[in-house]
Amino acid sequence: MTRLLTQPEIDWKDDGTPVARAAGDVYFTAGDGLGETRAVFLAGCGLPEAWNGRETFTIGETGFGTGLNFLAAWDLWRQTRPSPTAYLHFVSYEGFPLAKDDAERALSAWPELADLSERLIAVWPGPVRGVRHFIWPEDGVTLTLHLADIAESFPDSVYHADAWFLDGFSPAKNEAMWAPDLFKWASERSVPGAPAATFTVAGAVRRGLADAGFSVAKAPGHGRKRERLEARLATPPAPEPDIFGLNRPLPRANRVAILGAGIAGASAAHALQQLGAEPVIFDPADGPASGGSGNPMGLVMPRLDAGDTAQARLLVDAYLAARHAYQGRPGVTETDIRQVPKDDAETARFEKLLADPPLPLEDLEALTGGGLLHKRALIVEPAKLIPSLLEGVKQHYGAAPDVDLAARTVNGAEFDAIILANGMAAGSMLPWLELEARMGQVDFTEGPADAAPFAMASGTYALALGRKRLWGATFDKVTPDVAPFTSEAARAENLRGVETLSPYWVRDARGENIASRASLRATTTDRLPLIGAVPDHNAFLDAFAGMRKGRHADADAPLLDRVFISSGFGARGFTWGPWAGSILAARLCGAPAPASRSALEAVAPARLLLRALKRGRA
């Protein structure tokens, strides 16, 4: 199995109907695809009546295809949206995503949906495995796409659907989309009484739904199809223990205190604001973009692993989320990045990675002479970017806030939730996190003339933008209580690095007017960030004490009441920030998780305590 997904080859009928050559089936009925969608799926699930009076409504779909079902639901939602603050969440699975041009051609058959089609095509994802998440706050609509084989992605998703569109190709032509486990996974991800609709009345589908706890009934079909199915979840399965604190029901958080105005806090605030919440920022600095987010320039590029692991995929998900979130914002410049290997081992790793790349050619290709060319990567200017993310957000600066996590108060005011997005300071509030402090120094100067965007990387990195030149950075372990400081030793190390890279402007780095800046980077022992609900340390250890003797964790994790964290980003804050923010915002606003379960578990704070218990250290 290759890491990139296969885009289907499409044959086009004379009437414009797209046919998947491999499956031998059509994506929609010629001339009547939209009418069929409205009759089979929207009406079959009782829409729009089912979402009347609801502030959130979630639809799950098997088989995204052209996106026609999503657009039909979106169109109906904007006509019947229950309130100006209500949100429709649409979650879909696709293992063979259409090429953008094919999707655009297919959707052109429905001019009445043209404005929505254009917005969808503008963000149409490439054939990259993982989870893509998009939001249109003006209409209160989100789309979460799980791109992978459905047998892998369906059980690895986290949400509860209010309705289901079961729309794979015909069961006779695409058995994988109708495997018995699919119905079980749907029931596990449903609210009680959730309806499910499908065009097929195949016996295996009826039996599969019934075995999974759905009551099933045939209904009159649409067009030339005599019958279709309508189902409703009558017997919900017992929930699995929530040992990572990922999916238990929470009251919607409207007012959320965020400690920290760096990229972690700004990204969380922006994501919350998009979902209609009211974030409030607190930071002891004089303004935003200080600390580790305060360098003159930063680099957003992917960290690619040669192996196809859950960690490798979440790193790609985070990079693509950052690129999407920053698009068109102030202080963001798209550029190519030349990443040259540091040694023979890295040369071999790059060759292995390029033999089975996780990103398509429009994002990644081989450098002549060895190395990677990252296309459409970004140079960011934090002093411009972060204020744009915080636009419209209440912000308090200049004094250390008085925080009571147990009472969820900041400066005496109670909030629905608190997010710790304050780097190393989160470690002082929760010492058991054992955050490591790394001193990162960059050096910078101005060149004699404007330059086009330029970026190179190989352990260290070198950036040029206009007259700005910046290079670094060190990553030296220090004690958590040390204050940031610059040093001549770090400057010498950075100079050696930029001389090895040898950018065309290396002479500027040897000049006299060199400035330096240092900050602490909060990091973790496994180099993955901390994103999610904060466990109640003592209660957690008591609840799972049996793990010290080899027992499995089998209970809901005890958590601090609506306290969350977004920290431990190390040197990749601008890459992690938007992905982390979207995860926390979804959790607090009752939206589907915009990430896989395996990714959420990999970054959950509870993993630290679970790991310690397994090793007998807690």
Side-chain angles (χ1 to χ4, degrees):
M1 181 179 69
T2 59
R3 294 176 72 175
L4 288 175
L5 295 169
T6 299
Q7 293 180 308
E9 295 183 357
I10 303 299
D11 294 322
W12 298 90
K13 291 186 175 183
D14 293 341
D15 59 10
T17 303
V19 180
R21 186 178 302 170
D25 206 353
V26 298
Y27 280 92
F28 46 72
T29 301
D32 197 28
L34 182 56
E36 184 175 56
T37 286
R38 287 169 171 163
V40 173
F41 297 112
L42 298 181
C45 286
L47 302 175
E49 293 78 12
W51 61 45
N52 285 345
R54 298 285 298 275
E55 278 299 294
T56 63
F57 193 89
T58 299
I59 296 172
E61 178 194 49
T62 56
F64 188 68
T66 64
L68 180 61
N69 292 344
F70 167 60
L71 295 183
W74 184 354
D75 183 51
L76 183 63
W77 176 263
R78 66 177 176 176
Q79 296 175 43
T80 63
R81 189 178 181 184
S83 77
T85 58
Y87 270 77
L88 172 66
H89 304 295
F90 198 96
V91 183
S92 190
Y93 302 88
E94 182 58 66
F96 296 87
L98 281 170
K100 181 177 180 179
D101 289 346
D102 287 334
E104 187 171 16
R105 180 176 174 181
L107 293 175
S108 67
W110 320 113
E112 59 268 52
L113 299 178
D115 60 325
L116 299 184
S117 298
E118 289 174 5
R119 286 193 262 176
L120 176 60
I121 294 299
V123 298
W124 194 267
V128 181
R129 294 179 192 274
V131 183
R132 308 283 91 81
H133 179 66
F134 309 105
I135 180 169
W136 293 272
E138 65 277 14
D139 287 344
V141 171
T142 75
L143 170 63
T144 304
L145 281 175
H146 291 262
L147 300 177
D149 185 286
I150 195 166
E152 174 189 350
S153 59
F154 206 158
D156 204 26
S157 53
V158 179
Y159 65 103
H160 285 93
D162 296 292
W164 286 99
F165 296 174
L166 304 180
D167 193 24
F169 289 128
S170 165
K173 298 181 178 181
N174 190 10
E175 293 181 2
M177 292 295 289
W178 303 95
D181 282 345
L182 178 138
F183 307 109
K184 177 176 72 74
W185 298 329
S187 68
E188 291 171 349
R189 284 155 186 79
S190 297
V191 302
T198 182
F199 58 87
T200 181
V201 292
V205 174
R206 299 198 310 271
R207 290 189 295 274
L209 284 166
D211 290 345
F214 288 86
S215 60
V216 185
K218 291 181 181 180
H222 178 79
R224 290 176 295 177
K225 295 180 180 179
R226 293 175 54 200
E227 296 176 308
R228 58 186 173 84
L229 288 185
E230 293 182 0
R232 190 170 295 275
L233 184 61
T235 311
E240 294 290 325
D242 184 18
I243 64 174
F244 288 91
L246 301 181
N247 59 355
R248 73 192 60 174
L250 292 176
R252 177 184 167 84
N254 291 312
R255 295 186 69 244
V256 181
I258 301 175
L259 309 185
I263 190 59
S267 295
H270 179 67
L272 283 162
Q273 198 173 49
Q274 283 193 306
L275 289 179
E278 299 177 18
V280 182
I281 289 281
F282 297 89
D283 197 303
D286 292 334
S290 62
S293 299
N295 289 341
M297 290 191 289
L299 184 62
V300 177
M301 64 177 287
R303 198 195 97 188
L304 303 178
D305 290 348
D308 185 21
T309 63
Q311 178 174 325
R313 289 193 192 179
L314 69 89
L315 289 163
V316 171
D317 282 353
Y319 168 66
L320 295 178
R323 206 169 66 181
H324 175 69
Y326 298 153
Q327 187 175 21
R329 291 199 165 273
V332 177
T333 303
E334 188 174 289
T335 189
D336 294 344
I337 299 174
R338 297 171 58 229
Q339 184 180 11
V340 295
K342 295 179 292 186
D343 49 35
D344 291 344
E346 190 158 80
T347 298
R349 186 174 74 83
F350 286 177
E351 289 174 352
K352 182 179 179 182
L353 191 151
L354 289 166
D356 188 16
L359 293 171
L361 189 60
E362 53 263 34
D363 293 320
L364 176 70
E365 65 177 90
L367 274 177
T368 302
L372 306 176
L373 181 67
H374 301 283
K375 295 181 282 187
R376 301 195 292 176
L378 305 175
I379 296 173
V380 297
E381 298 171 273
K384 299 177 182 178
L385 171 60
I386 289 179
S388 81
L389 293 171
L390 289 173
E391 187 174 346
V393 175
K394 294 179 181 179
Q395 303 164 55
H396 301 274
Y397 296 104
D402 178 19
V403 181
D404 186 335
L405 295 181
R408 291 197 318 280
T409 62
V410 181
N411 295 340
E414 184 177 349
F415 289 85
D416 297 327
I418 293 178
I419 296 176
L420 309 182
N422 48 351
M424 288 302 302
S428 63
M429 301 175 75
L430 302 167
W432 61 266
L433 292 174
E434 297 183 352
L435 284 171
E436 295 181 358
R438 299 282 178 152
M439 189 75 73
Q441 179 173 317
V442 296
D443 301 304
F444 46 96
T445 189
E446 288 196 353
D450 281 353
F454 172 91
M456 288 185 69
S458 181
T460 189
Y461 59 91
L463 308 178
L465 186 64
R467 294 186 62 188
K468 296 178 181 179
R469 316 284 187 263
L470 182 144
W471 59 100
T474 57
F475 199 65
D476 299 322
K477 190 172 183 178
V478 294
T479 58
D481 57 347
V482 71
F485 63 89
T486 60
S487 71
E488 289 300 321
R491 180 177 288 192
E493 180 182 338
N494 284 340
L495 181 58
R496 287 192 297 271
V498 79
E499 287 177 337
T500 299
L501 288 175
S502 191
Y504 68 87
W505 49 264
V506 65
R507 185 176 300 176
D508 299 341
R510 301 187 184 112
E512 295 181 355
N513 298 318
I514 308 300
S516 299
R517 185 179 187 277
S519 57
L520 293 184
R521 314 297 187 55
T523 188
T524 60
T525 55
D526 61 9
R527 299 295 180 266
L528 289 176
L530 298 167
I531 305 167
V534 175
D536 182 329
H537 177 265
N538 293 337
F540 192 99
L541 297 184
D542 288 342
F544 298 124
M547 292 182 66
R548 296 189 180 98
K549 299 179 180 179
R551 297 177 191 163
H552 294 295
D554 57 0
D556 287 350
L559 305 173
L560 296 184
D561 186 22
R562 284 169 279 173
V563 177
F564 293 79
I565 189 170
S566 180
S567 184
F569 292 174
R572 294 183 175 272
F574 285 91
T575 302
W576 287 120
W579 187 70
S582 69
I583 288 169
L584 297 184
R587 187 78 181 91
L588 289 168
C589 295
S596 66
R597 176 179 292 276
S598 53
L600 296 171
E601 291 179 357
V603 300
R607 77 184 191 270
L608 303 180
L609 296 180
L610 292 169
R611 188 179 303 150
L613 284 165
K614 287 179 181 178
R615 296 173 180 174
R617 292 195 296 107

